[in-house]
Amino acid sequence: MPNFGQTDINAQGIFTKLLTSDSDKSTGLAAIETLMEVLKTSDANTLSELTHKLDDAVGAMLKTDYSSASLQSASELFLRFISLISKEALLVDPDFEHVKQEYIKRGNIFIERIRKSRQIIASCFRPFIRSNLKILTHSFSKVVLESLLEAKSRGCNFHVFTTESQPDRSGRKMYEVLQKHEIQSTLVLDSAVGYLMEQIDFVVFGAEGVMETGGIINKIGTLGVAICAKAMNKPVYVMAESIKFVKEYPLNQSDIPDKFKYRYSTLQTNKDELKNEHPLTDYTPPQYLNLLITDLGIFTPAAVGDELIKLYT
């Protein structure tokens, strides 16, 4: 049996370096680029061995404190996409190196498509935003930020209310970037959402993962904001790249895998005392969401399951 330990170490290092060196890079894209590097540099001699190395690389990346929902979904979709050619290619040409080159070729196609995801989502978002709107967002989302910046560049003047988003105050980061780009914005307490909601035109979230149910996993507090918006008849939109579509079907909060709710380091050190740990994410069911804006198009939550089937077949 080959020793894959070195692949684990290299994959984790590459993945971490990609994210720390580029603050705009998404966790999912960094995971895919890491797998691509493992693929290119692998000394595997068979398809089975190569598959093991790639799977081990995914396992190594999951042993970090980055979003495991985004990481898992992106990795699964990437590996599924590149391996769709394996049976056909082996029948035509059984030479492993040629198959590996096909994997690399398809991998490059996949990466180029994903790199354009945020631009496509921003384009899809254009009909929803105009001047004088009041928008509420929760936490920090790179895809939401890019869409708002794109709207600002087109001359739209709107006001963004962003929650402080405790316990890590990630909403403050969103607020500071919006201020830097001269977008009218206000930082509000998480507990002020109910008071504020009657003024809001719509709510927009990012997502760490889009579930097969059409619901989302996102920063803790997302569910509360969505419930409040639903009660006051305010539309809730979610922006998410298609690599965040996850093959999970949670029905309630307890169905969310622990790896989606807690950091890897927390699970390793306090796995027997999780009841005392603050979860980082919650699950927002599809009935509280109006539309999902993705690089594949705009969907109702009910349509997500169909799109997942297309992605995985």
Side-chain angles (χ1 to χ4, degrees):
M1 180 68 68
N3 181 358
F4 301 121
Q6 192 61 40
T7 302
D8 285 1
I9 296 171
N10 290 341
Q12 193 175 94
I14 294 167
F15 174 65
T16 302
K17 184 176 180 180
L18 284 170
L19 286 170
T20 54
S21 63
D22 184 355
S23 60
D24 289 331
K25 192 180 294 293
S26 70
T27 301
L29 181 56
I32 292 168
E33 291 179 349
T34 299
L35 290 173
M36 192 65 173
E37 188 63 27
V38 171
L39 177 60
K40 289 178 178 178
T41 60
S42 170
D43 58 359
N45 297 309
T46 66
L47 193 56
S48 176
E49 189 178 341
L50 179 60
T51 300
H52 276 299
K53 285 183 177 289
L54 290 169
D55 287 343
D56 283 352
V58 175
M61 290 186 286
L62 286 169
K63 294 176 182 177
T64 66
D65 281 343
Y66 292 98
S67 170
S68 60
S70 299
L71 200 160
Q72 176 181 310
S73 59
S75 299
E76 287 180 354
L77 286 168
F78 176 76
L79 294 178
R80 175 64 178 165
F81 182 82
I82 64 171
S83 64
L84 285 174
I85 56 93
S86 58
K87 291 182 180 178
E88 294 82 356
L90 284 170
L91 287 173
V92 175
D93 187 347
D95 182 75
F96 169 71
E97 281 302 319
H98 288 176
V99 174
K100 181 178 175 180
Q101 290 307 311
E102 282 298 314
Y103 271 36
I104 293 172
K105 179 180 177 181
R106 287 181 66 84
N108 284 326
I109 292 171
F110 192 88
I111 288 173
E112 285 306 307
R113 193 191 83 194
I114 297 307
R115 284 175 178 165
K116 298 175 182 177
S117 293
R118 291 182 194 163
Q119 294 175 352
I120 295 171
I121 292 171
S123 178
C124 290
F125 186 58
R126 285 176 186 172
F128 295 86
I129 192 164
R130 62 184 186 277
S131 291
N132 302 317
L133 288 179
K134 293 182 178 179
I135 302 166
L136 175 65
T137 190
H138 179 63
S139 188
F140 179 83
S141 166
K142 294 171 184 174
V143 65
V144 170
L145 176 61
E146 183 157 331
S147 295
L148 293 174
L149 293 179
E150 195 273 344
K152 171 71 173 178
S153 71
R154 290 186 288 107
C156 288
N157 292 307
F158 45 87
H159 196 111
V160 180
F161 294 86
T162 179
T163 58
E164 198 172 42
S165 192
Q166 294 286 4
D168 64 359
R169 304 184 77 191
S170 52
R172 176 171 285 278
K173 179 181 178 182
M174 186 74 160
Y175 167 73
E176 289 172 351
V177 177
L178 291 171
Q179 287 280 298
K180 178 181 176 181
H181 288 89
E182 299 182 344
I183 291 178
Q184 299 175 60
S185 51
T186 303
L187 183 68
V188 300
L189 296 172
D190 294 2
S191 56
V193 167
Y195 173 84
L196 182 68
M197 190 62 74
E198 63 183 24
Q199 307 176 38
I200 298 300
D201 291 295
F202 66 77
V203 177
V204 61
F205 299 126
E208 291 192 18
V210 179
M211 304 295 105
E212 199 169 355
T213 59
I216 62 169
I217 298 288
N218 197 42
K219 175 68 188 295
I220 191 75
T222 300
L223 173 60
V225 177
I227 290 174
C228 185
K230 180 76 171 181
M232 296 192 181
N233 295 313
K234 305 295 183 177
V236 177
Y237 306 129
V238 176
M239 295 183 183
E241 301 94 321
S242 57
I243 56 170
K244 291 183 176 179
F245 284 26
V246 187
K247 290 185 73 176
E248 295 279 352
Y249 203 96
L251 299 177
N252 51 45
Q253 304 302 320
S254 61
D255 282 345
I256 307 172
D258 284 343
K259 63 182 178 180
F260 290 174
K261 292 190 286 187
Y262 304 100
R263 293 187 179 91
Y264 175 78
S265 57
T266 300
L267 290 173
Q268 292 304 297
T269 56
N270 299 317
K271 56 185 176 182
D272 296 326
E273 296 293 336
L274 289 178
K275 63 185 179 195
N276 297 323
E277 291 293 331
H278 199 298
L280 300 178
T281 63
D282 58 27
Y283 169 63
T284 302
Q287 62 264 33
Y288 299 113
L289 308 174
N290 291 80
L291 292 172
L292 291 105
I293 304 169
T294 79
D295 49 304
L296 299 179
I298 301 173
F299 306 109
T300 62
V304 169
D306 292 338
E307 289 304 312
L308 263 171
I309 291 172
K310 292 176 185 177
L311 285 171
Y312 279 92
T313 56

